[in-house]
Amino acid sequence: MREVAVLAAGGASVDQFALGYWLIALSLGISVLGAVVGFACIVHGARSVQFRLVWLVSAAISLGGVGAWLATSVAMLGLKVPNSAMRYDPGRLIAALVVSIAAVFAALLIIGRTPRLTLLLPGGLVLGLGIGVTHYLGIGSLEIQGSVGVTTWLAAVSAVIGVIAATATLWLFQTMRFPLARAATVLLFGVGVSATYYTALAALHFDVDRTAKVPDGVELFDFVFPMFVIGLLALTVPISAVLIAPDRRELAGPPKVRRPKLEPVR
């Protein structure tokens, strides 16, 4: 069974699931958790005026920082290139995190509060391409004893999958508001992130040179584990805000009628 997880790429056998297939479930679970919190923040942001930007920033951190970047960083822990040391550039990993959060925030500003096709399409484009760039910055931070190349057409396919999944997620979230549709929305986001990542990973090919020196950088686990803890702790802030925030649908009821003050009869 494990043979199906090993890709022959550029002269090197690349194992995508060296730690086991359970990592797929963990990555998908993190992505879905970030989406649940993120979309809850978007709902409150649509009903708020004074704190709308605060809600959108919280949504961008939840969706982009946890749902996309952290989820795929955890999935990358299972990547192994045999016969080569593997190191990661922390600068590119941080850049990927920033791009992911910024792309989600920009997409949410573009689509606005109400569903409009003219805004949904560019919003989905920004979100999908942003997640795609996040993946390539993250995967591109990998350095081995040798060289790493990219298959152009697979990279293009990854970008197309990202845009389609992002647009479909935003459309489903804005137009279908019953509970089952909400569940489908967060699942679609998680599956879309995962599909974009594994397609992007398949676009890479590795040429190992055992005589090359061990590359500079950090071990991925040493970087991702503290970010994993920080990311999950960071979610407690928007979760708490969602739980204690007032239901603005109730507050948006008919205005109170002021009764005229009666003067006492003298």
Side-chain angles (χ1 to χ4, degrees):
M1 291 295 293
R2 288 300 303 277
E3 284 76 6
V4 299
V6 180
L7 304 178
S13 296
V14 181
D15 192 348
Q16 299 186 59
F17 309 109
L19 296 182
Y21 296 109
W22 63 272
L23 210 56
I24 302 176
L26 177 60
S27 175
L28 182 61
I30 294 172
S31 188
V32 168
L33 175 62
V36 169
V37 179
F39 285 122
C41 290
I42 297 174
V43 170
H44 282 276
R47 300 170 184 165
S48 176
V49 176
Q50 185 177 0
F51 298 105
R52 173 169 167 75
L53 288 180
V54 176
W55 283 115
L56 293 186
V57 169
S58 298
I61 293 173
S62 301
L63 283 167
V66 176
W69 180 85
L70 183 59
T72 52
S73 296
V74 168
M76 284 169 58
L77 290 172
L79 181 63
K80 180 180 179 181
V81 180
N83 303 317
S84 174
M86 298 171 58
R87 297 292 185 271
Y88 290 81
D89 181 359
R92 289 190 180 185
L93 290 172
I94 294 174
L97 173 61
V98 172
V99 168
S100 186
I101 294 175
V104 174
F105 183 71
L108 295 180
L109 288 180
I110 291 172
I111 64 174
R113 299 173 185 264
T114 57
R116 283 182 287 179
L117 185 62
T118 55
L119 298 179
L120 183 63
L121 293 178
L125 181 66
V126 169
L127 179 57
L129 292 180
I131 291 178
V133 172
T134 298
H135 293 337
Y136 278 104
L137 283 172
I139 298 173
S141 66
L142 170 61
E143 297 180 1
I144 65 170
Q145 291 173 275
S147 60
V148 182
V150 179
T151 303
T152 306
W153 71 270
L154 273 176
V157 170
S158 174
V160 171
I161 292 174
V163 171
I164 293 175
T167 304
T169 299
L170 294 177
W171 174 82
L172 184 61
F173 175 74
Q174 283 198 324
T175 58
M176 305 293 180
R177 301 184 179 183
F178 51 93
L180 186 59
R182 293 301 196 202
T185 300
V186 298
L187 183 60
L188 178 60
F189 178 84
V191 171
V193 168
S194 181
T196 308
Y197 162 74
Y198 283 110
T199 307
L201 185 58
L204 299 184
H205 51 87
F206 303 88
D207 292 304
V208 175
D209 180 5
R210 298 185 186 183
T211 63
K213 70 174 184 177
V214 175
D216 297 327
V218 298
E219 295 276 357
L220 185 60
F221 183 84
D222 295 339
F223 186 88
V224 170
F225 181 73
M227 295 301 292
F228 176 82
V229 176
I230 293 172
L232 295 186
L233 288 176
L235 283 182
T236 60
V237 177
I239 289 174
S240 301
V242 168
L243 292 176
I244 66 176
D247 190 341
R248 290 176 174 80
R249 289 174 297 185
E250 298 177 358
L251 297 180
K256 295 181 180 180
V257 179
R258 294 185 62 184
R259 296 180 178 178
K261 185 177 181 181
L262 298 179
E263 295 290 339
V265 179
R266 296 181 180 179

